[in-house]
Amino acid sequence: ETGVTQTPRHLVMGMTNKKSLKCEQHLGHNAMYWYKQSAKKPLELMFVYNFKEQTENNSVPSRFSPECPNSSHLFLHLHTLQPEDSALYLCASSQATGLSGNTIYFGEGSWLTVV
Amino acid sequence: DQQVKQNSPSLSVQEGRISILNCDYTNSMFDYFLWYKKYPAEGPTFLISISSIKDKNEDGRFTVFLNKSAKHLSLHIVPSQPGDSAVYFCAASWRNNAGNMLTFGGGTRLMVKP
């Protein structure tokens, strides 16, 4: 148990579907992140929220839409995805992005398959 | 261009021996380095970190060494145990307009044989 919970753990969706990934952290952190891990690629940062404000969008296509209603919850809304978007999507949290030595803690990930 | 590189995709070690995982970086602005361990079907878990003002940090069986002049860090695990078999990611932290960001290497799969 890492203190960062992601649901669902596995998701299969069609290219015309709309689905959402959910993340909740119980660590009292103020920053939350979405990362993507594709096969044989390094972890890619997608979005960063610091105190509910989006501070980083790493050139992510608009078919991925994040939402951060409060510091404990983070969503990733998915719409008209492509098969190449199939990957492990990891949520993470940390105290705040402005701190030196910022250790982030990951959830267990949501495996997404787009068919 | 990858700023954090783990050039060995895999490493096999005998139980009880030392495992040495290497990581190279190019950005001299990185000020904090971390190692994460990842089992299949799980998210990465934080293992150990080191500030750029230090050259060594030790935590039990795990020691991280930093050579700033060579832009190189390494993780030593001794003695290695079968349960250490996992993918290890090196990460480096730097500050941009959005705050402190982490950049990850591609990972090294460690296999510890009984």
Side-chain angles (χ1 to χ4, degrees):
Chain A
E1 177 59 48
T2 65
V4 181
T5 304
Q6 290 186 241
T7 55
R9 293 295 312 280
H10 299 272
L11 176 64
V12 179
M13 61 185 287
M15 289 189 285
T16 58
N17 290 161
K18 282 185 184 181
K19 297 285 184 184
S20 296
L21 305 179
K22 178 183 175 183
C23 178
E24 183 175 358
Q25 58 94 2
H26 309 276
L27 300 169
H29 289 163
N30 293 301
M32 297 189 77
Y33 310 76
W34 280 115
Y35 279 84
K36 173 183 177 182
Q37 186 175 30
S38 305
K40 298 183 180 179
K41 282 189 177 181
L43 283 161
E44 300 172 61
L45 178 65
M46 299 176 73
F47 300 104
V48 181
Y49 279 82
N50 199 31
F51 293 92
K52 301 188 299 178
E53 297 297 320
Q54 188 180 126
T55 56
E56 185 90 0
N57 177 337
N58 202 19
S59 303
V60 180
S62 60
R63 57 186 185 269
F64 295 92
S65 173
E67 179 191 357
C68 187
N70 54 62
S71 293
S72 299
H73 294 86
L74 185 65
F75 296 89
L76 187 63
H77 303 300
L78 314 169
H79 177 48
T80 60
L81 295 192
Q82 304 298 312
E84 58 265 30
D85 295 322
S86 299
L88 177 67
Y89 289 85
L90 290 158
C91 174
S93 72
S94 68
Q95 285 187 332
T97 61
L99 297 177
S100 180
N102 190 33
T103 301
I104 69 171
Y105 296 89
F106 288 89
E108 297 198 340
S110 294
W111 284 98
L112 173 67
T113 303
V114 182
V115 297
Chain B
D1 182 35
Q2 233 178 303
Q3 297 186 66
V4 179
K5 288 186 180 179
Q6 294 175 254
N7 291 317
S8 298
S10 65
L11 174 68
S12 183
V13 171
Q14 204 67 36
E15 181 180 6
R17 305 295 288 269
I18 185 170
S19 295
I20 300 176
L21 298 134
N22 293 303
C23 179
D24 297 293
Y25 62 95
T26 57
N27 189 344
S28 57
M29 299 300 291
F30 289 142
D31 59 2
Y32 198 72
F33 302 89
L34 306 91
W35 283 94
Y36 285 83
K37 175 181 178 180
K38 185 179 183 300
Y39 291 118
E42 293 184 11
T45 54
F46 171 70
L47 197 56
I48 192 169
S49 62
I50 187 167
S51 165
S52 61
I53 62 172
K54 295 187 176 181
D55 55 18
K56 178 182 175 180
N57 187 27
E58 190 172 352
D59 183 3
R61 296 185 298 116
F62 302 92
T63 303
V64 56
F65 295 92
L66 175 62
N67 182 335
K68 282 188 70 178
S69 60
K71 293 192 175 67
H72 177 84
L73 68 155
S74 61
L75 174 67
H76 293 210
I77 306 173
V78 56
S80 301
Q81 299 173 354
D84 296 329
S85 297
V87 177
Y88 289 80
F89 291 97
C90 166
S93 172
W94 64 292
R95 181 184 288 273
N96 68 5
N97 290 336
N100 278 299
M101 297 294 120
L102 283 183
T103 301
F104 285 85
T108 296
R109 181 177 300 278
L110 174 66
M111 293 161 284
V112 180
K113 298 178 181 177

